Amino acid sequence: MPAVAFHTLGCKVNHYETEAIWQLFKEAGYDRTDFESVSDVYVINTCTVTNTGDKKSRQVIRRAIRKNPDAVICVTGCYAQTSPAEIMAIPGVDIVVGTQDRVKMLEYIEQYKQERQPINGVGNIMKNRVYEELDVPAFTDRTRASLKIQEGCNNFCTFCIIPWARGLMRSRDPQEVIRQAQQLVDAGYKEIVLTGIHTGGYGEDMKDYNLAMLLRDLEEQVKGLKRLRISSIEASQITDEVIEVMDQSKVVVRHLHIPLQSGSNTVLKRMRRKYTMEFFAERLERLKEALPGLAVTSDVIVGFPGETEEEFMETYNFIQEHKFSELHVFPYSKRTGTPAARMDDQVDEEVKNERVHRLIALSDQLAKEYASQYEGEVLEVIPEESFKDDPDSNLFVGYTDNYLKVVFPATEEMIGQIVKVKIKKAGYPYNEGQFVRVLDELEEQKEEAV
């Protein structure tokens, strides 16, 4: 059997799509092998969110070519979509496919084997209006299943290249989403994470259907679904209807990732973000009323062109006041081809780094404060893997529904199951837990009935 090896750079959507591409190869009779070993085909799924993403992608492509100069080298993903000529210029690259037509990859491989001519399969993504169906019935890491529900973004924020790499908003057919969710639950997954390029925008391109309706339909129609998580949602997409569905739901978890990017209205305007801080604050208050104990995580860009100390402090104070439970903090990095890269007043790297450190310190403090509310409580955790810091122990790591990372004694058989764990000691990045018991099916049914 021929062997294929994958390397994925970038976001959760890319990881999802690599799994989907693997399904195509599996059906065609391929074995999956490790990227570091010699393989017949290498598939590199690239990222282009920053210039560094491009550079890392090129390094991985060259590594694959060195591993086996006779292998077929396929490059896909966002960098392949935006810069196919740059990738085709790397000696040894055989096939380039962007962020559409991944189903044609195997045809291209056969064509390449016969003709021995490099193939550029990248088309104009901006013309695409149809969601490309890519099925993933199971995942290599077996605890949380991602389910991609939409593609593309219409926002065109000034710092972001992604609409050019992914095209405009396209939502997946709700029946397909429900069918695949059922397939994942039947395969043993307790938690499904809805993901996409602009996940909360699901349904904006549809008539009479939206994200709130999808959440409701998933809960009503998918038998055995225990947890439903939204990977990311913009404040502007948190409608009253979405809040109402979350308030009434038994499966939507108490955790939302809502990208803030900046807590200053003047910076948000330069970023071309679609909300003000007043609106963001009002949505947070509504959400916390509907979902007591809600964990809100967020992304923040520090040192956006022209960001003054005052604007930075507006962000800092907003985060402190609204008690986010954890932040992903990024120093602004120029992305060639975006309006922000051409703006005057680029912020000095030292100033950026100093601000990043201040926000990370705040994030650590807020994470500990949030977790400390749950000390002594018994929460439901899905163990994901053994504790890497102490691999010889019987400790495992998992997440509660409100996204606390808990380390506690468990066994291999418990991976992917729902277990009751008492939070002994709150901390960051881990909380120490004490195993109480595995939730059996009878108990799960009782809890559902309540």
Side-chain angles (χ1 to χ4, degrees):
M1 282 166 89
V4 60
F6 295 91
H7 193 292
T8 311
L9 297 106
C11 67
K12 283 192 180 85
V13 174
N14 265 11
H15 285 272
Y16 175 90
E17 288 169 351
T18 296
E19 291 291 331
I21 295 165
W22 158 233
Q23 296 300 325
L24 301 173
F25 276 88
K26 195 170 157 182
E27 283 161 22
Y30 277 76
D31 264 339
R32 186 170 183 169
T33 181
D34 182 62
F35 195 78
E36 296 312 317
S37 53
V38 175
S39 185
D40 302 302
V41 178
Y42 291 91
V43 177
I44 299 98
N45 196 351
T46 59
C47 173
T48 193
V49 82
T50 62
N51 291 345
T52 319
D54 291 1
K55 189 177 157 195
K56 278 186 189 162
S57 297
R58 288 193 296 272
Q59 286 167 347
V60 174
I61 293 164
R62 291 195 176 97
R63 209 165 84 211
I65 295 163
R66 283 197 301 273
K67 277 265 176 287
N68 182 7
D70 298 328
V72 180
I73 306 291
C74 290
V75 184
T76 185
C78 290
Y79 178 42
Q81 183 64 48
T82 57
S83 311
E86 236 173 75
I87 294 170
M88 296 290 286
I90 300 171
V93 170
D94 303 314
I95 296 162
V96 181
V97 180
T99 54
Q100 57 183 348
D101 296 334
R102 266 79 52 110
V103 287
K104 292 183 182 169
M105 203 179 279
L106 287 149
E107 281 172 43
Y108 290 145
I109 290 169
E110 291 314 307
Q111 186 186 331
Y112 176 78
K113 282 178 184 169
Q114 280 161 10
E115 297 171 6
R116 291 286 158 189
Q117 289 298 315
I119 297 165
N120 179 351
V122 179
N124 181 353
I125 196 78
M126 285 303 175
K127 289 185 175 165
N128 209 342
R129 294 288 178 275
V130 182
Y131 179 90
E132 180 180 27
E133 282 296 336
L134 287 167
D135 235 6
V136 186
F139 291 81
T140 318
D141 55 355
R142 56 180 191 269
T143 47
R144 261 190 296 168
S146 291
L147 176 48
K148 188 178 160 197
I149 62 169
Q150 69 76 239
E151 175 65 275
C153 179
N154 297 353
N155 275 15
F156 295 93
C157 298
T158 56
F159 53 80
C160 186
I161 198 81
I162 293 307
W164 306 106
R166 290 279 177 173
L168 300 174
M169 262 290 309
R170 313 186 287 290
S171 299
R172 189 173 190 174
D173 179 303
Q175 288 317 116
E176 276 304 306
V177 177
I178 290 159
R179 186 189 62 75
Q180 208 197 326
Q182 189 64 64
Q183 192 179 14
L184 290 166
V185 171
D186 293 346
Y189 292 97
K190 305 281 185 196
E191 178 174 323
I192 288 178
V193 184
L194 300 180
T195 187
I197 295 300
H198 197 57
T199 316
Y202 180 86
E204 283 174 14
D205 55 337
M206 288 176 164
K207 201 172 177 286
D208 308 326
Y209 200 77
N210 60 25
L211 179 66
M213 292 156 93
L214 180 70
L215 294 173
R216 205 176 271 134
D217 286 348
L218 282 165
E219 181 157 0
E220 283 171 7
Q221 295 177 38
V222 179
K223 302 283 171 276
L225 176 63
K226 295 287 179 274
R227 281 188 189 176
L228 189 57
R229 197 181 296 276
I230 302 167
S231 65
S232 181
I233 186 167
E234 294 285 336
S236 53
Q237 293 156 345
I238 301 169
T239 61
D240 291 351
E241 195 186 353
V242 165
I243 295 173
E244 190 187 321
V245 169
M246 296 178 104
D247 183 15
Q248 293 166 358
S249 173
K250 288 190 173 72
V251 298
V252 175
V253 297
R254 292 174 298 167
H255 164 241
L256 283 176
H257 185 81
I258 314 172
L260 180 70
Q261 307 306 10
S262 171
S264 160
N265 282 337
T266 44
V267 176
L268 288 172
K269 207 166 181 181
R270 295 201 293 279
M271 289 178 165
R272 212 188 287 149
R273 301 288 286 167
K274 291 188 160 43
Y275 50 84
T276 61
M277 293 328 300
E278 292 74 19
F279 176 80
F280 202 106
E282 185 269 336
R283 291 288 92 181
L284 286 180
E285 277 154 30
R286 286 287 313 275
L287 279 166
K288 286 176 180 177
E289 277 169 30
L291 296 161
L294 175 75
V296 179
T297 55
S298 195
D299 300 326
V300 184
I301 294 172
V302 168
F304 188 77
E307 183 184 69
T308 62
E309 180 62 22
E310 290 73 25
E311 287 171 327
F312 170 72
M313 283 313 295
E314 283 180 62
T315 301
Y316 188 97
N317 294 334
F318 185 87
I319 289 161
Q320 194 169 34
E321 182 191 343
H322 291 281
K323 303 239 178 283
F324 286 78
S325 63
E326 196 182 348
L327 304 174
H328 299 156
V329 185
F330 306 93
Y332 168 74
S333 77
K334 274 188 182 181
R335 185 66 196 81
T336 313
T338 60
R342 299 187 293 273
M343 285 180 183
D344 299 332
D345 303 334
Q346 296 286 333
V347 176
D348 184 74
E349 290 303 317
E350 272 181 33
V351 174
K352 269 188 227 176
N353 289 335
E354 186 263 339
R355 288 178 187 170
V356 164
H357 287 303
R358 275 153 71 192
L359 263 193
I360 288 174
L362 175 62
S363 172
D364 292 355
Q365 177 203 326
L366 290 171
K368 280 183 200 144
E369 279 177 26
Y370 177 77
S372 65
Q373 303 171 60
Y374 295 93
E375 248 178 31
E377 283 202 27
V378 175
L379 300 174
E380 289 181 0
V381 177
I382 299 179
E384 296 200 353
E385 58 183 3
S386 58
F387 185 41
K388 297 227 172 18
D389 294 9
D390 189 358
D392 298 329
S393 69
N394 65 338
L395 295 174
F396 284 75
V397 179
Y399 285 93
T400 61
D401 77 306
N402 56 341
Y403 216 57
L404 293 177
K405 199 173 195 177
V406 187
V407 176
F408 61 100
T411 62
E412 186 77 26
E413 295 77 54
M414 291 178 201
I415 287 182
Q417 300 305 311
I418 296 178
V419 300
K420 294 270 190 186
V421 177
K422 185 176 187 175
I423 307 296
K424 280 201 313 192
K425 186 164 177 257
Y428 183 80
Y430 303 107
N431 300 278
E432 286 176 34
Q434 178 185 342
F435 170 72
V436 178
R437 58 186 157 68
V438 176
L439 212 63
D440 64 31
E441 288 199 4
L442 267 174
E443 265 190 288
E444 286 183 20
Q445 284 160 9
K446 271 185 204 160
E447 289 198 0
E448 274 173 28
V450 167

